[in-house]
Amino acid sequence: VRGMLLNTIASATDQIGFSERAIETQKLALADIERALGKDSAESIGALVNLGVIASHVSDFDLAERSYREALA
């Protein structure tokens, strides 16, 4: 539950323009979700994609690409 809440908070934080802060929150969300549901769960994959989206908003294309590639693996 905590991971999903953090995922939502990260998205909202990104949408209001605090993308740098949102990346850290999204990383926490991803870790919690993976720990609770496993790396192959739909929720984990969604959290990875969300991390990629947020990273692209701050032009961290290396992190965005790594996140997208891991989501596709």
Side-chain angles (χ1 to χ4, degrees):
V1 173
R2 178 179 181 256
M4 297 306 293
L5 180 58
L6 287 170
N7 192 57
T8 301
I9 291 169
S11 292
T13 303
D14 178 49
Q15 289 175 3
I16 62 172
F18 295 102
S19 299
E20 290 284 348
R21 198 174 289 173
I23 288 175
E24 296 310 314
T25 304
Q26 188 60 33
K27 287 179 179 179
L28 291 172
L30 177 59
D32 280 4
I33 293 168
E34 285 182 345
R35 191 171 26 260
L37 302 175
K39 289 187 129 197
D40 294 331
S41 69
E43 291 82 359
S44 293
I45 294 167
L48 275 167
V49 170
N50 199 38
L51 180 57
V53 169
I54 296 168
S56 70
H57 292 165
V58 295
S59 300
D60 188 343
F61 299 117
D62 289 335
L63 177 58
E65 181 180 5
R66 283 194 313 271
S67 299
Y68 294 140
R69 286 186 184 276
E70 189 173 339
L72 290 171

